[in-house]
Amino acid sequence: MFAEVTLSLLAGFGMTLKLFVLTLVIALPLGLFISFGSMSRLAAVRYPIRLLIWVIRGTPLLLQLLIFYYGPGIILGNNIWGSGDEGRFAAALVAFALNYSCYFSEIFRGGIQSIPKGQYEAGYVLGMTRGQVFWQIILLQVIKRIVPPISNEIITLVKDTSLARVIAVYEIIWSGQAFIKSAGIIWPLFYTGVFYLVFSGLLTVLFHMIEKKLDYFK
Amino acid sequence: MALLEVLNIEKHFGATRVLEDISFSMEKGQAVSIIGSSGSGKTTLLRCLNFLERPNGGQIKVGGEVLFDAAAGKQFSDAEIRQKRLHFGLVFQSFNLFPQYTALQNVCLAPRLAAKEKGTLRQEEVEIRERGQMLLEQMGLSDRMGNYPHQLSGGQCQRVAIARALAMQPDILCFDEPTSALDPELTGEVLKVIRSLAEAHTTMIIVTHEMAFARDVADYLIFMDGGRIVEAGDPHAVIDNPQEERTKQFLARYSAG
Ligand SMILES: Nc1ncnc2c1ncn2[C@@H]1O[C@H](COP(=O)(O)OP(=O)(O)OP(=O)(O)O)[C@@H](O)[C@H]1O
Ligand SMILES: [Mg+2]
């Protein structure tokens, strides 16, 4: 029984992990670009982006998942996601990536705005371009400052992936819960908790290592 | 012919008039000192020269070339501004070293990026590093090249900042109160390197509150008050024998040493 449960949970966890990794791969860079947009000198860029951030951060992720999945079919009369598992996963990924990129963008914005103006000016008077100043001087200082808040968000994401079940993405809690019905046992649910704990524990260690690595400058 | 000509520069922030009718010129190899009380516009003037602020009026010429002319009303592209900036270097009061880079990397970063843009980094790599090392040696920092800014004293940081500015070989190097953020016992080492630059005929504009230093090092001294040049001329004459009432009042608050 234990082996059977483990295999089943591993399958669910595989889905959880896939959603987690792909969300990060999309949301971290996208969040950076959204943060640029939210700080743009052009009001026509800045305000729509800030509106987007407000809507996404101001409504539940659960609601966004439902709307992203069912919205196209019902509103546009065209279910762009198709009917299979892959379509559901794609819809969940889009919702997660957009949601987390908005949260990340606010952390990036805070980090970028906390860098003293003198760092930019020192670069400019040496003849550097805006891009050179940002990528060569500002970014690493921003990363150093935002590792703690970003790691918080990322650990929240580990647990938030379970919300994807609302559009029938077969993640780990679902696989654990299935045993209540099929075998009348609850311990697989506790077992899913162990997966989460181990995984977030590993991430915590990783973020500590990153913080340590960036300790070489102040 | 004058290397730098500043003609009738005006700058206001909203309704605040910060610079009014600032004109002066300097020759290659000269050191000009600017003194004046807090808020008199000294920093703003240096920032205008370095294209960190855009004057509302006046002209800036370097070597006869008009770099800036407010009357032309032209908006410069970022690339144009970068070209113009390269005539000037700026050493900040608060150093503004890049914390994630060592002293040597701070000095070499801008030359490396410039070479990379030209596609000549491979050929110039060694030369850029050697020049950086030479500049740091000249600043008395041979044993500090691999240190990060937080491992350096304020005086050492400021000397790295001077080397960093020199690495881009500006025509005119500007200093904005280079010793004001330093503990008194550290000002000497920074003033010493600036003095040696003056002896090597580096063209410099030095905003400072160190009256004795300004008098000894500068070829020309400008006293500013309320955004205007009140008195200017030979440093000994201005400091030891000021003509204007406002200069006298200002100097009375400093011991000229
Ligand atoms: N960005 C700005 N916006 C509005 N006012 C400004 C700005 N920068 C400077 N000022 C004002 O311009 C005036 C001159 O400032 P500036 O920094 O040039 O003086 P300073 O001579 O360098 O003084 P200090 O000796 O204190 O460094 C001050 O009244 C200041 O408040
Ligand atoms: Mg100032």
Side-chain angles (χ1 to χ4, degrees):
Chain A
M1 191 69 197
F2 183 74
E4 190 191 323
V5 171
T6 304
L7 279 180
S8 171
L9 292 194
L10 274 176
F13 188 64
M15 186 60 90
T16 297
L17 204 59
K18 191 167 134 199
L19 185 57
F20 172 80
V21 170
L22 289 178
T23 298
L24 283 188
V25 166
I26 299 172
L28 284 169
L30 185 60
L32 185 60
F33 284 99
I34 293 180
S35 78
F36 291 158
S38 73
M39 293 182 288
S40 168
R41 280 176 294 181
L42 302 173
V45 175
R46 191 169 66 242
Y47 287 112
I49 295 279
R50 290 198 179 167
L51 179 71
L52 173 76
I53 295 172
W54 175 58
V55 170
I56 295 289
R57 295 203 315 160
T59 58
L61 176 53
L62 190 65
L63 178 63
Q64 292 162 22
L65 277 161
L66 291 170
I67 290 178
F68 270 99
Y69 183 54
Y70 294 110
I74 294 171
I75 301 170
L76 309 175
N78 172 19
N79 183 3
I80 54 173
W81 309 115
S83 54
D85 286 348
E86 272 164 35
R88 283 197 293 274
F89 181 81
L93 180 58
V94 168
F96 270 90
L98 186 63
N99 183 277
Y100 271 81
S101 58
C102 285
Y103 278 95
F104 289 152
S105 81
E106 286 294 278
I107 295 176
F108 285 130
R109 186 170 67 88
I112 290 171
Q113 290 178 341
S114 75
I115 304 299
K117 192 165 113 261
Q119 289 289 307
Y120 291 86
E121 293 182 345
Y124 294 148
V125 297
L126 290 165
M128 296 183 202
T129 63
R130 285 171 191 281
Q132 287 168 341
V133 167
F134 183 78
W135 297 105
Q136 307 284 334
I137 299 170
I138 305 301
L139 186 61
L140 193 63
Q141 297 183 49
V142 171
I143 290 175
K144 183 182 167 78
R145 288 179 197 211
I146 65 175
V147 168
I150 287 274
S151 53
N152 248 330
E153 276 316 311
I154 289 179
I155 285 174
T156 304
L157 171 62
V158 176
K159 295 165 292 173
D160 270 0
T161 49
S162 60
L163 293 172
R165 62 176 303 175
V166 69
I167 55 170
V169 172
Y170 182 82
E171 45 68 60
I172 183 169
I173 294 186
W174 184 328
S175 19
Q177 200 181 352
F179 287 97
I180 297 183
K181 262 198 210 142
S182 67
I185 50 175
I186 193 158
W187 62 263
L189 274 185
F190 287 96
Y191 195 7
T192 62
V194 173
F195 275 82
Y196 282 109
L197 282 174
V198 169
F199 189 52
S200 54
L202 287 175
L203 287 175
T204 307
V205 171
L206 175 71
F207 291 127
H208 267 283
M209 279 163 55
I210 295 176
E211 272 180 57
K212 269 263 152 59
K213 224 181 161 88
L214 291 174
D215 247 2
Y216 75 92
F217 71 90
K218 290 258 152 36
Chain B
M1 188 185 59
L3 175 65
L4 171 68
E5 286 171 272
V6 173
L7 300 166
N8 317 104
I9 289 289
E10 307 274 338
K11 176 71 195 173
H12 32 89
F13 292 107
T16 333
R17 306 184 75 81
V18 176
L19 294 177
E20 291 185 66
D21 199 21
I22 300 286
S23 299
F24 67 93
S25 64
M26 65 190 293
E27 307 289 328
K28 190 168 158 51
Q30 271 194 332
V32 169
S33 258
I34 303 178
I35 59 173
S37 52
S38 185
S40 55
K42 308 178 297 292
T43 297
T44 307
L45 176 57
L46 293 190
R47 291 175 61 84
C48 286
L49 293 178
N50 282 274
F51 291 83
L52 291 174
E53 304 286 355
R54 189 190 165 92
N56 301 97
Q59 281 189 349
I60 298 169
K61 293 189 202 172
V62 171
E65 178 198 353
V66 180
L67 286 193
F68 176 81
D69 184 0
K74 191 169 175 290
Q75 286 296 331
F76 299 117
S77 68
D78 283 358
E80 286 172 312
I81 291 182
R82 284 175 66 207
Q83 277 309 311
K84 293 168 191 293
R85 274 190 181 129
L86 288 177
H87 292 283
F88 296 90
L90 179 59
V91 174
F92 299 85
Q93 185 174 340
S94 50
F95 332 135
N96 295 338
L97 291 183
F98 308 131
Q100 71 268 44
Y101 293 122
T102 63
L104 185 59
Q105 288 168 335
N106 262 276
V107 175
C108 296
L109 181 65
R112 285 177 57 99
L113 289 174
K116 203 164 161 188
E117 253 186 300
K118 279 187 294 174
T120 55
L121 183 57
R122 294 259 303 275
Q123 300 91 293
E124 289 183 52
E125 178 111 59
V126 174
E127 189 190 324
I128 289 172
R129 196 181 62 239
E130 283 172 356
R131 257 188 59 79
Q133 288 167 338
M134 193 197 73
L135 284 166
L136 285 170
E137 264 162 40
Q138 205 181 320
M139 297 293 127
L141 293 168
S142 324
D143 53 343
R144 288 278 179 258
M145 296 191 193
N147 286 96
Y148 290 94
H150 76 274
Q151 301 167 322
L152 300 173
S153 73
Q156 291 168 336
C157 282
Q158 193 59 297
R159 286 182 282 149
V160 174
I162 294 170
R164 182 177 69 173
L166 287 169
M168 289 306 284
Q169 296 171 289
D171 297 326
I172 300 150
L173 183 54
C174 304
F175 293 85
D176 189 8
E177 300 191 35
T179 60
S180 292
L182 301 178
D183 292 337
E185 69 268 27
L186 299 177
T187 59
E189 63 188 55
V190 171
L191 294 182
K192 203 176 107 194
V193 302
I194 301 176
R195 193 184 294 266
S196 72
L197 290 175
E199 278 158 11
H201 299 291
T202 310
T203 314
M204 298 187 287
I205 301 176
I206 310 160
V207 169
T208 182
H209 287 300
E210 303 281 338
M211 296 306 146
F213 176 76
R215 185 184 54 193
D216 295 348
V217 168
D219 301 295
Y220 189 77
L221 186 95
I222 293 171
F223 168 66
M224 284 178 64
D225 191 44
R228 290 178 174 278
I229 294 180
V230 173
E231 192 165 348
D234 175 70
H236 290 271
V238 175
I239 289 182
D240 298 332
N241 190 15
Q243 301 300 306
E244 298 288 329
E245 199 50 41
R246 277 189 284 174
T247 321
K248 287 178 193 167
Q249 282 171 5
F250 172 77
L251 288 169
R253 285 187 273 128
Y254 286 89
S255 52

